[in-house]
Amino acid sequence: MTIAVRTARQAGAIATPAIATALRDFSLNGRKTLVEKRGGIDFYFNEFWTARQRQANRLHEISYRACFKPQLPAFFIERLTGLGDCVYDPFMGRGTTPLQAALMGRVAIGNDVNPLSAMLTRPRLNPPPLESVADRLRAIDWTFRGEVREDLLTFFHRRTLEKIEALRAHLKRREGEGAFDAIDDWIRMVALNRLTGHSPGFFSVYTLPPNQAASIAAQKRINFKRGQKPPERDVAAILLKKSAALLGGAPAAVARRHLLFSASAEATPQIAPASVDLVVASPPFLDVVPYAADNWLRCWFAGLDPAAIPIAMHRDPEDWAAFIRRVLIELARVVRPGGHIAFEVGEVRGGAIELESLVLGAAQGLPLAPLGVAVNVQDFTKTANCWGVANNAKGTNTNRIVLMRRE
Ligand SMILES: C[S@@+](CC[C@H](N)C(=O)[O-])C[C@H]1O[C@@H](n2cnc3c(N)ncnc32)[C@H](O)[C@@H]1O
């Protein structure tokens, strides 16, 4: 196969990239890929992955706004890399790509401008045994003698908030003493995910889903409307239960080799030139998701100031495309020749702006050859029957992945 491709190249012919063939020939339950050329680029439509089709590891199950399903990076990691290859996400969010890469025996590199992301990701690359978590939870001094933040009583019962503060104090003390270890790291990650939500599995009273923290004013309105007051929660029991759920399917060691850091994706000197085999990433879509507002309570718990984190927010599509071009220039530096980039964008402004076209435009003139756009159409049959899948650019639930190869 490799020899055949080389021969074709030597003869000056353009070989069809293996990933394009894989997308074209993909068939799930007899549903064949539809291919349509748009602006000279092949768009491949199919239900390439579904949540049902292949169960992801439970370690992934923490919520984060605009995260993608683990099946997305798994699809490209499987087809574009081998064991021990290096997979990178410059916008890792909750760390879906680095975690999936590590679970598949690849070297994981992850970055996000928000340091919260490394806090969410690192512990799951190095999961501790459940008994060690249980022992540590028993050893923590859960009494808090200081003043609690009164405004947070909108979310938490006073005794629950005292326990949350006791945990923050424990983690801070451990850091100060240089004793902060993988178990503290794990407990902080789980606590960040249990702060607020809409069931008794969270520390808070009923509120928005866990990946979106309401403002204090909005929570006051929710409490008033529902006639509710924050009930007392057993913080340690909640942490242990969620730890057990996450660790349920975890292998003993996930990633022996990984690199996580916090920087803007446009400048990442932490990564050596031509050292990455595959990038799987999803940037912020214009200014659609207010990451700072969504994460304000998690940042408070983690001791971060969300206002000081330069999260990319671009209302103007031209500014966004310029940002993406700067990121692609950096990715062209770190990806090895022959390596790949799978850049996922979603639906914005009701389909009025096609972010995939902006990404393709931003890559022009860079040593990144466009290989096509994979459009993962959920509920393919319904979409294909009702609207014609090839015309479904608007209004349907799709992921569009711009595929590029470093020349
Ligand atoms: C769409 S989310 C990525 C979600 C991720 N794929 C996951 O599964 O969790 C985009 C991420 O980009 C991050 N971000 C925003 N501006 C950035 C920048 N300039 N450099 C790096 N990361 C940035 C945000 O903090 C957010 O976590």
Side-chain angles (χ1 to χ4, degrees):
M1 177 68 180
T2 318
I3 293 165
V5 169
R6 278 207 190 111
T7 313
R9 273 194 202 140
Q10 280 158 4
I14 300 166
T16 306
I19 187 68
T21 311
L23 291 168
R24 198 193 51 216
D25 295 348
F26 185 87
S27 158
L28 179 73
N29 301 333
R31 285 180 241 126
K32 291 204 168 13
T33 298
L34 294 180
V35 188
E36 187 185 288
K37 223 179 235 324
R38 292 183 183 178
I41 301 286
D42 284 329
F43 279 61
Y44 301 89
F45 296 84
N46 207 335
E47 190 168 9
F48 294 108
W49 54 87
T50 67
R52 275 159 290 138
Q53 165 202 349
R54 197 182 295 173
Q55 195 62 43
N57 193 289
R58 281 196 249 159
L59 269 176
H60 281 292
E61 289 172 10
I62 67 165
S63 62
Y64 191 83
R65 191 80 185 275
C67 64
F68 45 48
K69 291 191 177 90
Q71 286 83 355
L72 187 159
F75 184 91
F76 295 104
I77 292 169
E78 191 177 313
R79 287 165 178 80
L80 293 168
T81 64
L83 281 177
D85 278 358
C86 184
V87 180
Y88 169 48
D89 186 345
F91 301 102
M92 71 175 161
R94 67 172 177 169
T96 317
T97 294
L99 178 56
Q100 187 58 35
L103 287 164
M104 293 171 75
R106 276 58 168 175
V107 175
I109 305 186
N111 168 59
D112 195 289
V113 74
N114 192 340
L116 197 58
S117 286
M119 293 184 191
L120 298 177
T121 307
R122 190 179 44 239
R124 290 176 297 134
L125 294 176
N126 184 20
L130 185 61
E131 309 82 69
S132 309
V133 177
D135 288 348
R136 181 65 51 82
L137 288 172
R138 272 192 294 273
I140 289 172
D141 177 3
W142 291 100
T143 48
F144 180 72
R145 292 172 197 86
E147 296 284 311
V148 297
R149 248 182 81 168
E150 292 290 316
D151 57 351
L152 295 184
L153 296 171
T154 324
F155 291 94
F156 309 110
H157 188 281
R158 185 173 291 276
R159 280 196 289 277
T160 310
L161 184 53
E162 284 169 356
K163 296 228 169 67
I164 296 171
E165 287 282 21
L167 182 56
R168 285 180 84 216
H170 161 86
L171 296 170
K172 206 167 163 198
R173 192 171 52 248
R174 299 272 299 173
E175 269 174 338
E177 291 166 354
F180 191 92
D181 61 11
I183 303 164
D184 293 317
D185 211 16
W186 176 270
I187 290 173
R188 179 174 62 189
M189 179 273 295
V190 182
L192 285 167
N193 282 282
R194 294 292 101 186
L195 284 174
T196 58
H198 37 22
S199 80
F202 295 92
F203 304 155
S204 71
V205 68
Y206 180 97
T207 177
L208 298 181
N211 55 6
Q212 274 167 278
S215 66
I216 301 280
Q219 188 57 33
K220 278 189 184 149
R221 286 194 295 275
I222 296 173
N223 291 354
F224 178 74
K225 216 167 156 185
R226 296 174 58 89
Q228 63 180 18
K229 280 194 184 140
E232 186 173 357
R233 305 281 199 217
D234 186 336
V235 170
I238 289 173
L239 291 172
L240 190 60
K241 191 169 175 207
K242 181 64 182 173
S243 297
L246 286 168
L247 291 168
V254 179
R256 286 182 192 84
R257 285 175 59 208
H258 65 259
L259 169 67
L260 300 180
F261 57 94
S262 306
S264 181
E266 304 147 278
T268 55
Q270 295 84 346
I271 308 180
S275 60
V276 169
D277 297 286
L278 171 66
V279 169
V280 186
S282 172
F285 305 156
L286 304 176
D287 58 350
V288 170
V289 176
Y291 291 100
D294 281 350
N295 286 312
W296 76 268
L297 207 44
R298 288 176 169 187
C299 285
W300 163 77
F301 184 84
L304 300 169
D305 174 8
I309 302 169
I311 289 173
M313 294 286 272
H314 299 285
R315 172 174 287 274
D316 180 347
E318 267 186 40
D319 292 345
W320 185 80
F323 165 67
I324 295 299
R325 184 170 173 84
R326 292 194 297 276
V327 172
L328 291 177
I329 290 171
E330 181 63 349
L331 294 182
R333 181 187 73 79
V334 301
V335 176
R336 68 163 172 83
H340 292 85
I341 298 176
F343 211 72
E344 191 257 351
V345 291
E347 181 88 19
V348 292
R349 301 191 187 159
I353 297 172
E354 292 180 353
L355 294 184
E356 63 274 21
S357 306
L358 295 182
V359 173
L360 286 163
Q364 269 181 18
L366 303 181
L368 299 173
L371 303 183
V373 178
V375 185
N376 188 53
V377 186
Q378 289 173 35
D379 219 347
F380 180 90
T381 315
K382 196 170 129 201
T383 313
N385 290 344
C386 297
W387 299 296
V389 72
N391 295 319
N392 85 336
K394 293 183 174 62
T396 52
N397 196 3
T398 59
N399 307 101
R400 300 109 196 269
I401 297 93
V402 180
L403 290 161
M404 292 169 269
R405 186 176 50 212
R406 175 71 168 88
E407 288 175 325

